[in-house]
């Protein structure tokens, strides 16, 4: 029934949302949760007399007779059972056995289930250990210690209690539940492959850890790169090497990424931001897509099943060694990245889980303690600030400790360098049944806070910010949510949190494409957005600057399409964001005139150059460095195909053009002392100019911004952006005894867009502008940007 439903599911049509393409995805996901069922596991030990089986038989087929069939006595228990300890949570090996501990405040009974992989496939429990509430429970924590042979075993839980959704209770003893603290989840081994019986939600279970599970870190230590020095690269593990042109030995895996780390190093990247790598179900949206003739997948992975487990199907070994293969592959990726001076940041989704709304599956949190883990209304309804059917109850004491424990694990055990928090504003909202006594232990006079209210000092963010382990790593907030809370520049930060600067993205897009009224705002972006961060005591590097990310147009599509083209999603182009601040440069689509294509390449250079000369931390999206196109699709959440795959063949084609430009400009940024400052710029370093030196134009009609920047390594730099459709000749600042030399000019064709010392015909290219520079002038064509450097004037005249 489940398979038939998912195969025949037709996606409902919606009016286009006004917030973002991700919000549309989250909204639509609520419908995809409807009707998901799960076949019950075979329940062992239900017969009151285990030695007798009652069956019905009829010798002639016309009557039923009770037949007593004697069975051999059952095998003795495989495990020695002890009371165990309530801490730590999860499964912990030691003292010749394994301690299991899990919290549930409302359950009436708990059972630990041990399962062989073969039984897991057949939906059978191999052995059950009922937990005695007198000896196996401390407070709200259920625990047991087992000694025995755990070889070929995985584990899960059953919890019983009231099933009363209006009271927020979803206990169902027929469901096997994943331990929230499981270090690996075992289910399907192959990405995109249906489970037994064509199930999209096959049964999952947890790794039983062992003291022999070791990984050789080879002395790996945190890089602790200053954040101001980072060049970040948002990437998708599977998409990076899945295309056949990658020639990867392990395509679409953690090991595949390792094979390409040297490429990232060449680009100048020193920090990769991995899109979700916590365990998720890529078959969550599984349905036939008649447009492309394939099946929709949850490709992006923003739908977490377990927060301690790496995505098993990103491992070259799948569920090999019961999930340890995935753990070790992820560790190997981090270790090898660190060897190359590249930090690893994880995109984490603590705003909601894969269990969706009331129609979604019961996988873990809902069956353990629904009213604790989710933000509920008084009658048990789910608050939906995530747009995905549920909202994680982040500021509940148990939940916030769980989140901190997860983050600590990934830092201490997996050696990651930081986190980007998806829809982080949800972490600032008050929890269900919020009250000061519950949170702080005592009442606060005059405080009346309802569920979901934004808090000035949210307990979870406070805990993370002051945690002795976590406050030393990179913490980046996507400072908004789907409930309308927008906190860019205002996220509670304790002076250490950074933000995806969505205002930078919008402003830069508007200015570069020539929209009036943005010259002043564009100048703020170049300075690290002091209007957003200076007053709150933060620094330029608290701004993560980006023009494109996974959600929206790629850089190439930003200059190729005025409108989204999402028909490939099978939703009649009704999904995705309508307001992209894009410009097609005169013609819609990839088939355009030569002049339009030249302008597009110029605009791509302008955007990249802007990122690299802005104070703050630049971030680009995977593939933008060679001009990857998704055909104008700005909401590619469901495509496990060429749309989302990095095209290594296209990168090779661009290696002498845009990719070369990106490499050189990023190298230039790393070499400049003044392009990654710890503090905001002052007049001692920075001077603004217009068409004439020292006379900037901040009027609404201005499309020209220029400035000089003093750099202790490169000397003085002159940087200008002409976002007008009109060419201009600018007067340069007078510097007696010195002359301005051209370095970057996006208006010139490659390789003269960046003049390097080893460039053939370098002197010829410079002499072409000598007569302008001799008179402190420089011509700029429309939609172009430049960098000039100051050097001693050694010109001799006869």
């Amino acid at each position: 029934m489940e398979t038939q439903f998912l195969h025949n599911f037709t996606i409902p049509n919606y009016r286009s949302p006004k917030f973002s393409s991700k919000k549309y995805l989250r909204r639509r996901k609520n419908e995809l949760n409807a009707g998901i069922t799960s076949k019950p596991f075979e329940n062992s030990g239900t017969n009151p007399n285990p030695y007798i089986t009652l069956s019905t038989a009829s010798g002639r087929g016309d009557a039923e007779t009770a037949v007593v069939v004697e069975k051999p006595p059952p095998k003795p228990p495989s495990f020695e059972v002890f009371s165990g300890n309530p801490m730590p949570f999860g499964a912990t090996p030691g003292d010749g056995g394994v301690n299991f501990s899990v919290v549930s405040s409302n359950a009436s009974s708990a059972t630990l289930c041990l399962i062989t992989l073969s039984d897991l496939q057949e939906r059978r429990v191999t052995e059950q250990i009922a937990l005695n509430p007198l000896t196996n429970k401390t407070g709200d924590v259920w625990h047991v210690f087992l000694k025995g042979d755990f070889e070929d075993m995985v584990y899960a839980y059953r919890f019983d209690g009231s099933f009363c959704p209006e009271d927020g209770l979803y206990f169902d003893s027929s469901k096997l539940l994943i331990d929230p603290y499981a270090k690996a989840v075992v289910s399907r081994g192959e990405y995109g492959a249906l489970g037994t019986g064509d199930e999209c939600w096959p049964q999952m279970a947890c790794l039983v850890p062992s003291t022999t599970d070791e990984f050789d870190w080879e002395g790996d230590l945190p890089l602790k790169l200053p954040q101001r020095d980072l060049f970040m690269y948002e990437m998708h593990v599977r998409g990076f090497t899945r295309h056949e042109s990658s020639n990867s030995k392990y395509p679409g895996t953690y090991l595949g990424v390792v094979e390409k780390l040297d490429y990232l190093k060449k680009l100048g990247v020193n920090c990769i931001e991995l899109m979700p790598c916590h365990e998720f179900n890529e078959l969550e949206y599984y349905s036939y897509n008649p447009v492309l003739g394939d099946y929709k997948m949850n490709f992006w992975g923003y739908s977490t099943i377990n927060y301690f487990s790496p995505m098993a199907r990103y491992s070259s070994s799948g569920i090999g060694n019961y999930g340890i293969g995935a753990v070790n592959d992820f560790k190997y990726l981090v270790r090898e990245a660190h060897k190359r001076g590249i930090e690893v940041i994880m995109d984490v989704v603590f705003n909601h889980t894969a269990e969706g709304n009331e129609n979604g599956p019961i996988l873990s949190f809902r069956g353990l303690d629904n009213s604790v883990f989710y933000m509920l209304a008084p009658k048990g309804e789910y608050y939906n600030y995530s747009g995905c059917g549920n909202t994680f109850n982040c500021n509940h004491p148990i939940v916030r400790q769980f989140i901190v424990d997860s983050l600590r694990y990934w830092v201490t055990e997996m050696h990651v360098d930081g986190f980007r928090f998806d829809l982080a504003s949800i972490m600032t909202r008050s929890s269900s049944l919020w009250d000061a006594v519950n949170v702080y232990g005592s009442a606060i006079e005059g405080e009346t806070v309802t569920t979901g209210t934004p808090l000035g000092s949210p307990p979870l963010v406070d805990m993370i910010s002051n945690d002795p382990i976590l406050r030393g790593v990179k913490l980046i907030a996507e400072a908004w949510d789907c409930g309308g809370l927008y906190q860019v520049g205002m996220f509670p930060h304790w002076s250490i949190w950074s933000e995806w600067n969505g205002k930078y993205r919008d402003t830069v897009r508007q200015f570069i494409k020539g929209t009036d009224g943005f010259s002043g705002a564009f100048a703020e972006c170049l300075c690290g957005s002091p209007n957003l961060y200076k007053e709150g005591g933060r620094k330029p590097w608290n701004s993560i600057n980006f023009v494109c990310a996974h959600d929206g147009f790629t850089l190439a599509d930003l200059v190729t399409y005025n409108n989204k083209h999402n028909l490939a999603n099978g939703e009649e182009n009704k999904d995705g964001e309508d307001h992209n601040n894009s410009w097609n440069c005169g013609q819609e689509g990839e088939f355009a005139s030569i002049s339009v294509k030249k302008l597009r390449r110029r605009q791509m250079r302008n955007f990249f150059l802007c990122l690299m000369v802005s104070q703050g931390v630049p971030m680009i999206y995977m593939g933008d460095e060679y001009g990857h196109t998704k055909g104008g699709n700005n909401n590619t959440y469901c495509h496990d195909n060429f749309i989302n795959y990095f095209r290594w063949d296209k990168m090779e084609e661009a290696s002498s053009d845009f990719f070369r430009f990106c490499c050189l400009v990023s190298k230039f940024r790393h070499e400049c002392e003044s392009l990654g400052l710890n503090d905001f710029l002052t007049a001692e370093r920075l001077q603004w100019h217009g068409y004439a030196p020292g006379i900037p134009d901040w009027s609404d009609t201005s499309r020209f911004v220029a400035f000089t920047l003093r750099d202790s390594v490169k000397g003085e730099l002159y940087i200008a952006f002409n976002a007008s459709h009109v060419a201009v000749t600018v007067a340069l600042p007078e510097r007696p005894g010195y002359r301005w030399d051209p370095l970057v000019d996006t208006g010139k064709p490659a390789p003269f867009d960046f003049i390097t010392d080893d460039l053939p015909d370098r002197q010829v290219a410079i002499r072409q502008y000598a007569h302008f520079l001799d008179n402190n002038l420089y011509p700029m064509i429309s939609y172009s940007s430049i960098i000039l450097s100051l050097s001693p004037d050694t010109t001799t005249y006869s």
Side-chain angles (χ1 to χ4, degrees):
M1 178 180 178
E2 173 186 347
T3 304
Q4 187 65 30
F5 172 85
L6 289 170
H7 273 288
N8 295 337
F9 198 92
T10 55
I11 311 270
N13 295 326
Y14 288 105
R15 294 180 180 178
S16 180
K18 296 181 179 179
F19 189 79
S20 71
S21 57
K22 185 177 289 184
K23 180 178 179 181
Y24 184 89
L25 161 61
R26 297 176 190 277
R27 179 181 177 188
R28 202 176 63 72
K29 179 180 170 185
N30 298 339
E31 298 299 329
L32 289 172
N33 283 323
I36 292 177
T37 60
S38 179
K39 298 178 183 177
F41 249 64
E42 293 183 7
N43 199 3
S44 62
T46 56
N47 192 340
N49 189 336
Y51 297 99
I52 298 176
T53 299
L54 299 179
S55 67
T56 58
S58 172
R60 299 186 306 271
D62 56 358
E64 292 190 349
T65 306
V67 178
V68 177
V69 180
E70 290 193 9
K71 294 176 63 178
K75 295 180 181 180
S78 304
F79 299 94
E80 295 181 74
V81 181
F82 303 89
S83 62
N85 297 306
M87 298 298 288
F89 292 135
T92 307
D95 297 329
V98 179
N99 190 77
F100 297 87
S101 173
V102 64
V103 62
S104 178
S105 57
N106 293 299
S108 60
S109 68
T111 302
L112 175 65
C113 302
L114 295 163
I115 315 160
T116 64
L117 279 186
S118 59
D119 278 351
L120 186 69
Q121 296 292 324
E122 298 298 326
R123 307 190 71 86
R124 289 194 299 262
V125 173
T126 308
E127 187 155 351
Q128 298 188 98
I129 292 98
L131 305 190
N132 187 328
L134 298 178
T135 58
N136 298 113
K137 187 180 182 186
T138 303
D140 293 331
V141 182
W142 299 80
H143 48 82
V144 65
F145 185 85
L146 302 182
K147 288 186 177 182
D149 183 7
F150 290 98
E151 187 176 357
D152 298 330
M153 285 284 186
V154 291
Y155 77 98
Y157 288 101
R158 295 184 195 264
F159 279 88
D160 205 357
S162 175
F163 189 91
C164 186
E166 56 269 27
D167 291 334
L169 302 175
Y170 282 81
F171 291 105
D172 184 346
S173 61
S174 71
K175 306 292 186 183
L176 282 188
L177 305 177
I178 300 168
D179 180 358
Y181 281 79
K183 302 309 186 290
V185 171
V186 177
S187 60
R188 298 174 293 107
E190 182 181 350
Y191 187 97
L194 293 169
T196 303
D198 286 346
E199 289 181 294
C200 291
W201 288 93
Q203 181 59 50
M204 292 168 277
C206 314
L207 162 76
V208 179
S210 166
T211 55
T212 62
D213 299 334
E214 295 182 355
F215 178 79
D216 184 3
W217 280 104
E218 298 180 358
D220 178 70
L221 292 172
L223 295 178
K224 295 187 183 247
L225 300 177
Q227 188 159 313
R228 64 179 181 270
D229 295 336
L230 296 185
F231 172 22
M232 295 176 60
Y233 189 86
E234 187 192 22
M235 65 178 297
H236 189 282
V237 168
R238 179 170 171 83
F240 195 47
T241 61
R242 187 64 187 87
H243 193 267
E244 59 184 9
S245 63
S246 72
N247 294 318
S248 171
K249 185 178 179 181
Y250 306 102
T253 67
Y254 303 119
L255 299 188
V257 175
V258 173
E259 293 179 272
K260 302 296 185 180
L261 287 174
D262 289 335
Y263 161 82
L264 295 175
K265 188 72 174 176
K266 179 180 178 181
L267 180 58
V269 168
N270 59 7
C271 179
I272 53 177
E273 181 180 298
L274 302 178
M275 289 176 66
C277 289
H278 285 149
E279 183 69 27
F280 68 90
N281 180 13
E282 73 277 13
L283 298 177
E284 186 172 2
Y285 312 140
Y286 190 79
S287 59
Y288 182 68
N289 183 356
V291 179
L292 294 183
D294 62 1
Y295 288 84
K296 292 186 178 182
M297 298 284 180
N298 174 13
F299 186 76
W300 283 351
Y302 288 93
S303 195
T304 307
I305 289 173
N306 185 274
Y307 292 97
F308 282 80
S309 304
M311 174 59 168
R313 288 166 300 287
Y314 285 171
S315 169
S316 58
S317 59
I319 57 172
N321 200 15
Y322 302 89
I324 285 294
V327 174
N328 288 339
D329 280 3
F330 188 93
K331 290 179 177 179
Y332 179 67
L333 166 58
V334 175
R335 189 189 74 189
E336 295 305 302
H338 285 175
K339 286 181 180 179
R340 293 161 175 82
I342 299 174
E343 292 192 331
V344 178
I345 288 178
M346 292 183 68
D347 192 341
V348 292
V349 190
F350 288 111
N351 56 79
H352 78 286
T353 78
E355 291 182 306
N357 59 20
E358 64 277 4
N359 297 315
I362 298 176
L363 305 172
S364 181
F365 305 99
R366 176 175 288 148
L368 280 166
D369 225 338
N370 181 72
S371 61
V372 167
F373 283 104
Y374 295 113
M375 197 181 290
L376 303 180
K379 294 185 179 180
E381 305 97 330
Y382 289 95
Y383 281 99
N384 191 19
Y385 295 115
S386 69
C388 287
N390 65 58
T391 304
F392 216 44
N393 204 20
C394 295
N395 282 303
H396 186 284
I398 291 175
V399 181
R400 67 176 186 260
Q401 185 61 59
F402 166 78
I403 293 174
V404 168
D405 287 346
S406 170
L407 297 174
R408 282 179 170 180
Y409 172 80
W410 286 94
V411 172
T412 59
E413 297 297 323
M414 309 295 269
H415 289 204
V416 302
D417 302 282
F419 306 93
R420 178 264 189 189
F421 294 81
D422 183 65
L423 297 187
S425 289
I426 282 177
M427 300 195 306
T428 73
R429 292 184 181 271
S430 60
S431 62
S432 297
L433 305 178
W434 171 273
D435 64 86
V437 175
N438 179 39
V439 177
Y440 297 112
S442 61
I444 298 177
E445 185 177 354
E447 183 187 74
T448 55
V449 179
T450 58
T451 300
T453 301
L455 305 170
S457 297
L460 172 59
V461 182
D462 187 348
M463 283 183 68
I464 295 172
S465 304
N466 293 289
D467 185 85
I469 293 173
L470 300 178
R471 68 173 289 107
V473 304
K474 276 76 176 179
L475 301 172
I476 303 169
E478 184 185 39
W480 54 82
D481 65 21
C482 289
L485 183 56
Y486 191 79
Q487 296 176 308
V488 173
M490 301 174 290
F491 189 83
H493 54 80
W494 277 264
S495 298
I496 60 175
W497 283 76
S498 302
E499 298 170 6
W500 263 27
N501 191 344
K503 292 183 178 180
Y504 177 100
R505 172 199 60 204
D506 298 340
T507 299
V508 168
R509 287 187 179 192
Q510 292 277 26
F511 178 81
I512 294 293
K513 76 186 183 77
T515 305
D516 284 338
F518 283 90
S519 59
F522 180 72
E524 292 273 6
C525 291
L526 293 170
C527 294
S529 301
N531 56 319
L532 297 178
Y533 301 112
K534 187 174 182 179
E535 185 176 343
R538 283 188 280 182
K539 303 294 185 180
W541 46 264
N542 290 121
S543 173
I544 307 301
N545 302 329
F546 67 104
V547 174
C548 299
H550 70 274
D551 192 0
F553 279 149
T554 66
L555 183 59
D557 289 349
L558 185 66
V559 300
T560 305
Y561 298 93
N562 282 353
N563 306 303
K564 66 184 182 184
H565 295 264
N566 295 3
L567 287 175
N569 298 353
E571 301 172 41
E572 299 180 353
N573 207 38
K574 295 181 179 180
D575 64 307
E577 177 61 63
D578 287 323
H579 307 288
N580 297 286
N581 294 321
S582 61
W583 180 41
N584 63 17
C585 297
Q587 292 178 265
E588 187 79 355
E590 293 189 47
F591 297 100
S593 66
I594 294 176
S595 61
V596 167
K597 288 184 176 180
K598 286 182 178 179
L599 175 55
R600 289 173 179 173
R601 288 193 290 269
R602 211 152 68 232
Q603 288 289 72
M604 289 171 63
R605 286 171 170 80
N606 292 335
F607 279 120
F608 191 86
L609 185 67
C610 174
L611 275 173
M612 290 298 153
V613 300
S614 296
Q615 301 297 321
V617 178
M619 183 189 80
I620 66 170
Y621 176 60
M622 177 183 83
D624 279 349
E625 71 272 23
Y626 70 82
H628 180 77
T629 177
K630 297 181 179 180
N633 192 327
N634 69 357
N635 188 29
T636 62
Y637 71 96
C638 60
H639 295 290
D640 179 40
N641 53 41
F642 64 94
I643 294 176
N644 280 317
Y645 292 168
F646 189 101
R647 292 290 302 273
W648 292 91
D649 50 345
K650 299 297 183 183
M651 187 280 295
E652 291 294 335
E653 293 174 10
S655 62
S656 61
D657 190 357
F658 187 56
F659 178 70
R660 169 189 176 272
F661 180 83
C662 292
C663 291
L664 290 172
V665 176
S666 66
K667 181 175 182 291
F668 175 78
R669 177 185 173 88
H670 286 310
E671 292 172 348
C672 285
E673 165 267 342
S674 62
L675 293 179
L677 296 176
N678 193 53
D679 290 299
F680 290 101
L681 290 162
T682 65
E684 295 179 1
R685 279 187 180 269
L686 175 72
Q687 184 180 10
W688 296 105
H689 306 288
Y691 295 141
I695 309 176
D697 181 1
W698 307 121
S699 67
D700 285 345
T701 59
S702 173
R703 299 184 183 181
F704 183 83
V705 171
F707 61 98
T708 47
L709 190 64
R710 297 185 182 277
D711 188 274
S712 62
V713 177
K714 296 291 186 179
E716 191 171 4
L717 303 171
Y718 178 90
I719 303 172
F721 293 84
N722 178 27
S724 170
H725 61 285
V726 178
V728 298
T729 299
V730 297
L732 305 174
E734 296 279 353
R735 298 291 186 261
Y738 293 84
R739 64 178 288 113
W740 293 103
D741 291 328
L743 179 66
V744 176
D745 188 338
T746 63
K748 295 180 180 180
F752 302 107
D753 49 359
F754 194 114
I755 298 178
T756 59
D757 291 339
D758 60 350
L759 181 68
D761 300 323
R762 179 178 184 276
Q763 290 305 318
V764 174
I766 292 177
R767 282 199 299 270
Q768 288 177 342
Y769 285 86
H771 57 297
F772 283 100
L773 294 171
D774 286 344
N775 293 283
N776 272 319
L777 300 172
Y778 194 88
M780 295 182 67
I781 67 171
S782 61
Y783 303 106
S784 67
S785 49
I786 62 172
I787 299 178
L788 309 178
S789 62
L790 198 66
S791 62
D793 188 357
T794 59
T795 304
T796 58
Y797 299 93
S798 56

